[in-house]
Amino acid sequence: MKLLKPSWVSHNGKPIFSVDIHPDGTKFATGGQGEDSGKVMIWNMAPVLREEDEKNENIPKMLCQMDNHLACVNCVRWSNNGLYLASGGDDKLVMVWKRAAFIGPSTVFGSSSKLANVEQWRCVTILRNHTGDVMDVAWSPHDVWLASCSVDNTIVIWNARKFPEMVVCLRGHTGLVKGLTWDPVGKYIASQADDHSLKVWRTVDWQMEANITKPFNECGGTTHVLRLSWSPDGQYLVSAHAMNNSGPTAQIVERDGWKTNMDFVGHRKAVTVVKFNPKIFKKKQKNGSAPKPGCPYCCCAVGSKDRSLSVWLTSLKRPLVVIHDLFDKSIMDISWTLTGLGMLVCSMDGTVAYLDFSLDELGDPLSEEEKNTIHQNIYGKSLAITSTEAQLSTTIIENPEMLKYQQERQNSAQNNTVPAAAATESSAPKLNSMMNGESLEDIRKNLLKKQVETRTPDGRRRITPLCIAQLDTGDFSPALFNSVPILPSSLSNQLPPQLSSDSSPAQAPPSLGLRPGHDPMLALPPPPPNMAAAKGLEDNKDALKSSLLLTSASKIEPMKALDSRFTERSKATPGVTSAIASTTGLTPLDRPKDVASVLKDVKSKEDTSSDSEDKMAAINKNLCKRKPELLLMDAAEVVEKRKKGRPRKDKMAPPMAQPFTQITPTPERESLRVVAPSPAPPPAVLRLPTPSIQTSFSLQVSMEPPVSLEVENEVTAVAGSRLSQLRCSRDGREWSTLLPSSVVAAAGSSDVLAVACENRMLSVFSSCGRRLLPSIQLAAPVSALNCAAHFVMALTAGATLSVWDVHKQKALVRNESLMTILSGSEATVSQSLLTQQGVPVIGLSNGKSFCFSSSLETWTLIADRGDCLVQCADFRSCLPTQDTAGSSGPLATMQGRNLNAGRMASRLSATPHHLQQGMTLAFLENQLASALTLQSAQEYRYWLLIYARFLVNEGSEFRLRELCKELLGPVHRSAGTAWETTTLGLRKRELLQEVLPVIGGNLRFQRLFTEYQDQLELLRSK
């Protein structure tokens, strides 16, 4: 045995009342007295375990310090999955902490700058019910419940899945309750109090099972704590502070009949704390000797007011080791590592000690399987597969594979809080988001609801506000603040302006950087959707500039400033085009030259802007030149759009009405003045704006390899016709070609480049300059051009769409009309993109996005910003640690930040759980179908795993079974099966292999798991 007292673990000499080692053994928490408040500290375990780490200054010793408790902290306990830390203190509060996203080191409040928090732990919920100091807290097996006890003589059981919900308050003690322990199979909870009694309560009906008083009758005096402990096999309960023949003992209570025939004797003063080793041991075999069928035994540590510590094995009559005078004051708490070989002890004198045992001293720990077998032999399988939460928490695991996933789940649970950005931590395994087999979403949802409602200072010194970091990017969904069903109006009125204003781009004016008083827009009611699009500038800092721009007719200059934002952000803001369109009204149109010069300004600014995404380049180009958009529609439509579009502006700035009246009489003529003359198609046909012709422009087509494109129109005139030059550089090598007409739009990818000319001809080149297709005659002038991989997409002003596969030289989509999706609404196209698989996607100004499925030969809806399913879906608990796959891809691009809105909304929504569950299910199934239509394999896999996690968390066995069946396919191939082995190039059975560990995370689905696991094994062996 080794003994170490790390002097650096201290609360500045103040008492340490509690210590607990994290389940993964990498850190430990201490709780005690701070300067003028309670203090919880999280420490690194490495410097305790290894001397070289202790000497290495680069390895932090303290990870985090939390001073939120208003008075001394009496107990700190990690949840079994390692995600949460619960602390209870003299301020009558229980706080539950969770690792926050890594924001970078922050200094401890009020300390010198040297003390930096390496990890960020945030209080996610405060549990208020006790009327006296909280003395002890304990998590039930599988973290179903959290129990806390107090000097108010009560024990409160909290629902750990739905904080801050209280399950029950156990009353019965007549003295201060100072210790709690759960039975390892979850059937009982035991408490010990100053009333000289130990009470055992049933978890089935929360009634008292036993009241044990005999061993405590003689006890005189009190101890600060009475931490009792249950043995890992569930057979023995050992109490603190008992007496036998007027000598202090730790009383052993047998589960069988609650008999009190044995005790641990030898301490000179009252026993304050007892802690069982989490492992069950068996005798270590001597080398070469035949294994004896030794009886398994447990190991227990006992700490006392006499400052000494004893360690006992239940197989020995005498203690294994006794250490006297280990501290200067009473021992307060003991914690074992999960491996069973290390132990931390803390004392009232403000120090801790670490004891390191060897296998020779304690014996061989049983594996989890052997431990389960013991549980099964003692308690039978009756606790196995039942649907109630209480019994589920005590389920015996039958399948070793399942056990493996349960263990992996526990091990990886800690990593779940570490975001991918935290470079200090190694990246987490894939399987780590299904926590305790159940959903953590309710916890988060409710604790957030709680936080919003209890933001009042309440006479306390500190409050825990809603931190922006916690809310991802702080995007709230638009629906949250405009629609009644999701949020009662009373609540939305109370929302702090910082939260309510930072809503999704298509809805409310952005104003994070502003106090609401400065922003005239904030006070007004929300605009109708098509107007809202004009406010779709997500940039918070420039909110004032943008509002000036949209309210003052004279200042058109800030347009430039806005432009760079349009180009950078256009992906996330489909509404941008109409924003630009609406600024046309700001310039009196009798000065068309000014408009043109502004356009040029805008253009040059855009050329230098750092937008490098090849998909977006063409769109951005169009965006900046949307001035003529309004002028190409017929006059009545313009007026109509104005009326609908700018109600708030009219009220605010009456002079604004004049430009509108000027526009209406001569739309055709004005368009000719602004746009260079072109072969005039019938004006009625043109539904979509066309880019204006510029003398020259350039764009970056792809970053990897670097390909850039320069166009110069009307370079030379030959035989009466003017030639345009197209120059391209790739990896430093340049090529150029001439075209007989002015180039209107260009786009490209790393494989192909496409240019559309004024004479409606489309030319396609390879990235080395070779012409790949003959010139294609388009039916109408081009509105937008996109390239991705070896696909080219053209969207014409006549609202038709075509996509060609250049490699196979064939059309994937042939002159498909957009009228299907445009008809019946005022919407126009605000965004177009082409996926790497050649699937065309169109985003409309009303927030809807469609893609054309060539297999179904129809338009399918893939994103809708006004969709209430997105607003209410709550699947945060099912997200993987590294959110990379789902955050990039065509689906994510089109849904943009709206997804975050969905993740947020549920925190504030008052939707009942079953309704929300249904909405989340519908939303996730929509996501799967959309990813399938978009042929985005990466996103399909990402959403499939979230969907599976959600089904597992919610216990939807029918859907889960159908999903597994579809992924497994027929075990025996027959001629008649239409089952495909792959989907989007992903092998279905490999997907099933990824889904199974998710199912293995919930004991309720043991049978389902085993069934499909076996079938997969069978197929593999074939």
Side-chain angles (χ1 to χ4, degrees):
M1 185 195 86
K2 294 180 197 150
L3 171 63
L4 164 78
K5 285 192 78 172
S7 56
W8 44 268
V9 181
S10 94
H11 286 206
N12 295 349
K14 299 275 195 302
I16 297 179
F17 286 115
S18 185
V19 63
D20 200 37
I21 301 174
H22 192 279
D24 69 0
T26 58
K27 53 180 85 104
F28 63 95
T30 58
Q33 186 66 52
E35 302 308 315
D36 55 351
S37 65
K39 190 184 276 190
V40 177
M41 295 182 84
I42 295 175
W43 306 87
N44 193 352
M45 198 71 178
V48 177
L49 302 176
R50 288 175 293 279
E51 193 177 353
E52 62 269 22
D53 288 358
E54 187 175 17
K55 290 176 179 161
N56 184 344
E57 286 183 6
N58 297 327
I59 294 179
K61 293 184 171 62
M62 188 198 79
L63 300 180
C64 189
Q65 174 179 324
M66 296 94 91
D67 299 323
N68 299 29
H69 275 285
L70 307 184
C72 179
V73 175
N74 295 315
C75 187
V76 287
R77 293 289 180 261
W78 295 101
S79 60
N80 298 294
N81 61 22
L83 269 184
Y84 297 96
L85 174 68
S87 60
D90 287 355
D91 53 4
K92 310 171 192 173
L93 303 179
V94 176
M95 294 192 184
V96 179
W97 306 82
K98 183 173 191 281
R99 174 88 181 264
F102 186 76
I103 317 157
S106 68
T107 52
V108 174
F109 181 74
S111 75
S112 65
S113 57
K114 287 177 199 162
L115 258 175
N117 283 339
V118 182
E119 292 182 357
Q120 308 293 328
W121 286 80
R122 187 190 303 116
C123 176
V124 288
T125 191
I126 297 179
L127 306 176
R128 296 185 173 87
N129 188 63
H130 288 297
T131 54
D133 307 1
V134 177
M135 297 307 295
D136 203 1
V137 294
W139 296 86
S140 73
H142 300 277
D143 302 328
V144 181
W145 300 296
L146 174 65
S148 59
C149 67
S150 160
V151 300
D152 62 11
N153 303 359
T154 65
I155 299 126
V156 175
I157 310 290
W158 309 89
N159 182 348
R161 307 266 164 85
K162 294 185 177 156
F163 284 135
E165 185 184 295
M166 197 176 103
V167 181
V168 69
C169 179
L170 305 179
R171 301 175 193 278
H173 280 290
T174 54
L176 326 181
V177 189
K178 293 184 174 177
L180 286 175
T181 181
W182 289 89
D183 152 32
V185 290
K187 211 172 169 186
Y188 302 112
I189 179 172
S191 58
Q192 190 173 350
D194 270 352
D195 58 9
H196 303 322
S197 77
L198 185 159
K199 294 185 180 356
V200 180
W201 313 79
R202 291 188 295 274
T203 58
V204 179
D205 54 2
W206 301 110
Q207 296 305 309
M208 197 188 299
E209 165 84 8
N211 181 20
I212 299 150
T213 55
K214 194 174 150 210
F216 313 106
N217 289 337
E218 299 175 41
C219 293
T222 58
T223 56
H224 186 84
V225 288
L226 295 167
R227 304 201 200 273
L228 64 170
S229 181
W230 215 302
S231 66
D233 59 2
Q235 287 301 87
Y236 299 103
L237 173 60
V238 178
S239 81
H241 195 23
M243 292 294 251
N244 187 353
N245 281 338
S246 61
T249 67
Q251 183 64 48
I252 300 171
V253 180
E254 293 177 54
R255 187 193 192 103
D256 182 20
W258 311 109
K259 295 197 282 283
T260 53
N261 303 333
M262 301 177 285
D263 44 23
F264 294 130
V265 188
H267 284 283
R268 300 185 301 283
K269 287 187 182 172
V271 171
T272 51
V273 51
V274 180
K275 195 60 172 274
F276 267 99
N277 190 315
K279 291 285 187 193
I280 303 173
F281 294 91
K282 58 176 186 284
K283 279 246 172 32
K284 198 156 177 64
Q285 302 299 337
K286 297 278 189 296
N287 286 344
S289 69
K292 300 186 188 74
C295 196
Y297 53 89
C298 300
C299 168
C300 177
V302 179
S304 159
K305 264 172 110 170
D306 65 9
R307 315 194 305 278
S308 65
L309 175 83
S310 56
V311 179
W312 304 72
L313 300 181
T314 52
S315 58
L316 300 176
K317 290 205 171 73
R318 306 186 73 73
L320 178 71
V321 60
V322 179
I323 305 167
H324 290 289
D325 300 322
L326 183 55
F327 299 102
D328 298 335
K329 290 187 181 169
S330 168
I331 290 178
M332 297 309 293
D333 202 1
I334 299 171
S335 176
W336 289 92
T337 58
L338 218 52
T339 58
L341 296 177
M343 169 172 50
L344 273 173
V345 190
C346 72
S347 163
M348 202 111 152
D349 66 10
T351 61
V352 299
Y354 179 71
L355 281 76
D356 187 25
F357 294 94
S358 68
L359 291 171
D360 294 328
E361 292 162 328
L362 298 183
D364 281 333
L366 297 188
S367 68
E368 285 297 308
E369 279 176 62
E370 295 170 299
K371 190 166 153 183
N372 265 339
T373 314
I374 290 182
H375 281 185
Q376 216 159 288
N377 293 343
I378 303 174
Y379 308 107
K381 280 194 180 181
S382 60
L383 292 171
I385 308 156
T386 47
S387 57
T388 68
E389 292 275 326
Q391 288 153 314
L392 190 64
S393 66
T394 62
T395 301
I396 303 300
I397 301 173
E398 303 167 4
N399 182 330
E401 279 284 324
M402 184 105 179
L403 177 66
K404 184 179 85 185
Y405 291 124
Q406 288 282 325
Q407 284 170 327
E408 277 183 29
R409 177 170 65 69
Q410 283 182 336
N411 297 343
S412 61
Q414 302 84 358
N415 303 334
N416 203 31
T417 49
V418 184
T424 48
E425 304 275 341
S426 60
S427 64
K430 278 181 195 147
L431 321 164
N432 48 11
S433 315
M434 51 292 165
M435 280 324 42
N436 28 11
E438 291 304 303
S439 150
L440 286 171
E441 73 189 334
D442 295 333
I443 301 178
R444 294 171 183 168
K445 189 171 69 193
N446 283 322
L447 62 90
L448 256 132
K449 204 158 28 168
K450 180 77 175 173
Q451 273 187 316
V452 171
E453 286 164 11
T454 58
R455 287 180 62 118
T456 54
D458 209 10
R460 299 186 346 273
R461 194 177 48 157
R462 295 192 184 95
I463 46 171
T464 312
L466 276 174
C467 164
I468 295 295
Q470 175 177 0
L471 303 178
D472 292 358
T473 52
D475 283 317
F476 284 90
S477 62
L480 215 62
F481 302 96
N482 313 355
S483 60
V484 184
I486 293 181
L487 219 159
S489 56
S490 58
L491 182 54
S492 63
N493 298 341
Q494 294 158 14
L495 282 170
Q498 286 91 333
L499 296 185
S500 50
S501 65
D502 189 20
S503 69
S504 115
Q507 284 286 346
S511 144
L512 244 201
L514 292 162
R515 292 265 159 13
H518 302 170
D519 190 342
M521 299 181 186
L522 259 181
L524 296 160
N530 54 352
M531 172 60 198
K535 299 285 167 312
L537 319 171
E538 288 175 3
D539 209 286
N540 302 329
K541 298 178 212 69
D542 291 10
L544 243 188
K545 252 189 223 163
S546 68
S547 67
L548 276 176
L549 171 71
L550 294 174
T551 47
S552 78
S554 54
K555 296 180 185 169
I556 194 77
E557 239 357 70
M559 185 67 193
K560 292 188 210 164
L562 283 175
D563 172 65
S564 60
R565 291 209 309 283
F566 287 147
T567 50
E568 283 157 22
R569 303 277 188 147
S570 54
K571 256 215 315 264
T573 30
V576 169
T577 49
S578 51
I580 298 181
S582 61
T583 53
T584 26
L586 308 183
T587 333
L589 279 187
D590 49 354
R591 294 186 314 186
K593 289 191 189 79
D594 291 10
V595 180
S597 67
V598 168
L599 270 173
K600 267 186 199 137
D601 270 355
V602 165
K603 189 64 231 165
S604 59
K605 175 81 183 164
E606 186 248 352
D607 291 346
T608 55
S609 85
S610 61
D611 190 320
S612 56
E613 297 208 43
D614 46 0
K615 285 188 205 140
M616 300 314 303
I619 305 166
N620 297 334
K621 216 174 75 279
N622 301 341
L623 283 184
C624 304
K625 301 186 293 298
R626 289 288 159 93
K627 292 271 168 163
E629 172 178 353
L630 290 170
L631 311 171
L632 287 170
M633 300 182 192
D634 48 289
E637 198 172 323
V638 176
V639 183
E640 178 63 8
K641 194 157 184 186
R642 290 295 177 182
K643 270 186 208 151
K644 275 196 170 164
R646 309 184 70 95
R648 305 189 310 175
K649 287 285 160 293
D650 293 346
K651 285 175 202 146
M652 274 163 40
M656 290 286 295
Q658 294 160 0
F660 300 168
T661 49
Q662 289 181 344
I663 291 178
T664 41
T666 56
E668 304 294 313
R669 248 177 321 163
E670 290 298 338
S671 69
L672 292 177
R673 266 199 269 176
V674 181
V675 183
S678 65
V685 179
L686 296 189
R687 272 299 297 254
L688 302 180
T690 54
S692 59
I693 299 173
Q694 291 157 288
T695 48
S696 67
F697 61 90
S698 63
L699 65 140
Q700 181 87 29
V701 168
S702 99
M703 295 302 286
E704 216 33 72
V707 180
S708 62
L709 198 61
E710 279 181 49
V711 171
E712 273 192 65
N713 285 329
E714 304 183 9
V715 188
T716 51
V718 179
S721 70
R722 299 186 170 192
L723 297 181
S724 299
Q725 186 174 38
L726 172 70
R727 272 202 305 278
C728 174
S729 73
R730 176 192 167 112
D731 289 331
R733 290 195 292 279
E734 291 203 357
W735 57 267
S736 66
T737 183
L738 291 168
L739 295 159
S741 171
S742 294
V743 174
V744 181
S749 68
S750 50
D751 300 345
V752 296
L753 303 170
V755 287
C757 297
E758 194 183 6
N759 59 5
R760 309 207 310 269
M761 285 295 182
L762 175 72
S763 305
V764 180
F765 303 95
S766 76
S767 56
C768 298
R770 213 159 45 82
R771 182 180 274 278
L772 297 176
L773 296 177
S775 293
I776 296 172
Q777 177 73 56
L778 299 172
V782 74
S783 173
L785 201 56
N786 295 75
C787 294
H790 51 90
F791 302 100
V792 176
M793 162 173 133
L795 180 62
T796 67
T800 61
L801 175 88
S802 303
V803 179
W804 296 274
D805 180 338
V806 179
H807 280 187
K808 295 184 179 168
Q809 303 240 342
K810 66 179 241 185
L812 299 180
V813 180
R814 208 177 282 106
N815 275 342
E816 194 55 51
S817 168
L818 266 69
M819 297 319 279
T820 321
I821 56 177
L822 288 174
S823 63
S825 71
E826 294 279 301
T828 65
V829 174
S830 62
Q831 185 179 2
S832 60
L833 67 88
L834 187 61
T835 74
Q836 296 295 315
Q837 286 70 35
V839 180
V841 183
I842 300 292
L844 302 184
S845 56
N846 60 10
K848 292 187 176 179
S849 303
F850 294 88
C851 84
F852 187 78
S853 162
S854 42
S855 55
L856 297 171
E857 294 192 2
T858 180
W859 287 101
T860 57
L861 178 72
I862 56 162
D864 181 0
R865 282 171 193 255
D867 183 3
C868 62
L869 291 182
V870 187
Q871 321 302 354
C872 293
D874 182 12
F875 48 89
R876 291 185 318 281
S877 59
C878 308
L879 291 174
T881 330
Q882 289 149 331
D883 195 352
T884 44
S887 52
S888 61
L891 188 58
T893 305
M894 293 319 284
Q895 290 176 333
R897 291 152 61 115
N898 205 30
L899 268 187
N900 288 350
R903 293 173 195 173
M904 299 307 107
S906 53
R907 305 183 168 201
L908 298 176
S909 86
T911 323
H913 177 71
H914 67 93
L915 191 64
Q916 189 168 44
Q917 179 185 346
M919 287 172 139
T920 309
L921 201 57
F923 169 73
L924 291 175
E925 286 171 354
N926 283 348
Q927 293 294 86
L928 267 180
S930 299
L932 204 53
T933 316
L934 285 168
Q935 296 175 26
S936 172
Q938 197 186 14
E939 288 179 301
Y940 179 76
R941 180 178 160 275
Y942 171 82
W943 286 108
L944 179 75
L945 289 174
I946 290 182
Y947 179 55
R949 277 187 207 107
F950 183 77
L951 291 181
V952 168
N953 287 351
E954 293 296 340
S956 322
E957 187 165 356
F958 285 141
R959 273 186 163 89
L960 204 54
R961 188 172 281 283
E962 189 180 61
L963 178 68
C964 292
K965 194 171 165 185
E966 164 57 26
L967 293 177
L968 182 73
V971 182
H972 307 290
R973 263 294 164 89
S974 64
T977 56
W979 184 75
E980 295 285 337
T981 54
T982 61
T983 177
L984 304 183
L986 302 166
R987 300 187 74 80
K988 288 184 181 176
R989 283 173 183 163
E990 284 173 13
L991 286 174
L992 180 60
Q993 269 170 301
E994 288 188 65
V995 169
L996 277 177
V998 178
I999 299 173
N1002 188 344
L1003 291 175
R1004 192 178 296 172
F1005 297 125
Q1006 279 206 80
R1007 300 286 157 87
L1008 183 71
F1009 174 86
T1010 309
E1011 180 183 327
Y1012 281 95
Q1013 179 78 22
D1014 292 350
Q1015 296 206 55
L1016 266 183
E1017 286 298 324
L1018 188 76
L1019 288 165
R1020 235 177 274 153
S1021 57
K1022 275 187 178 180

